[in-house]
Amino acid sequence: MAQILYLRQKGYKLLLESPLTVLLELEKLVALCPTQTRRSEESVQLQQFSTPLPLAYLVAKAGFIKADDLVVA
């Protein structure tokens, strides 16, 4: 939740930077957070696993997602 709140406040400005700068900043942010090694039985059964923030950014960048694209999460 902390990552989402941080990115809601600072994310747009960060995304105006070069992709390498964005990736490095996201990696720094993730390093500050606890790892997600503990999973509930329900999340395991439903195959609900969080995508690491830097990986999600790279996937979105590689997909050339535009404002008028429909994205299913």
Side-chain angles (χ1 to χ4, degrees):
M1 184 57 134
Q3 290 178 15
I4 292 169
L5 293 175
Y6 176 81
L7 290 173
R8 282 182 68 186
Q9 184 179 15
K10 310 260 186 198
Y12 182 74
K13 184 177 178 184
L14 177 61
L15 292 176
L16 297 175
E17 301 291 333
S18 73
L20 180 57
T21 300
V22 175
L23 186 59
L24 292 173
E25 289 300 314
L26 292 176
E27 287 177 345
K28 286 180 193 176
L29 178 60
V30 169
L32 295 171
C33 299
T35 60
Q36 298 181 14
T37 56
R38 190 172 173 170
R39 305 198 189 283
S40 70
E41 283 297 318
E42 183 180 17
S43 70
V44 172
Q45 288 175 348
L46 296 173
Q47 297 287 309
Q48 295 175 330
F49 307 108
S50 299
T51 302
L53 199 50
L55 179 58
Y57 169 74
L58 290 174
V59 169
K61 197 72 173 162
F64 300 108
I65 297 171
K66 300 180 298 295
D68 61 340
D69 288 342
L70 176 64
V71 178
V72 179

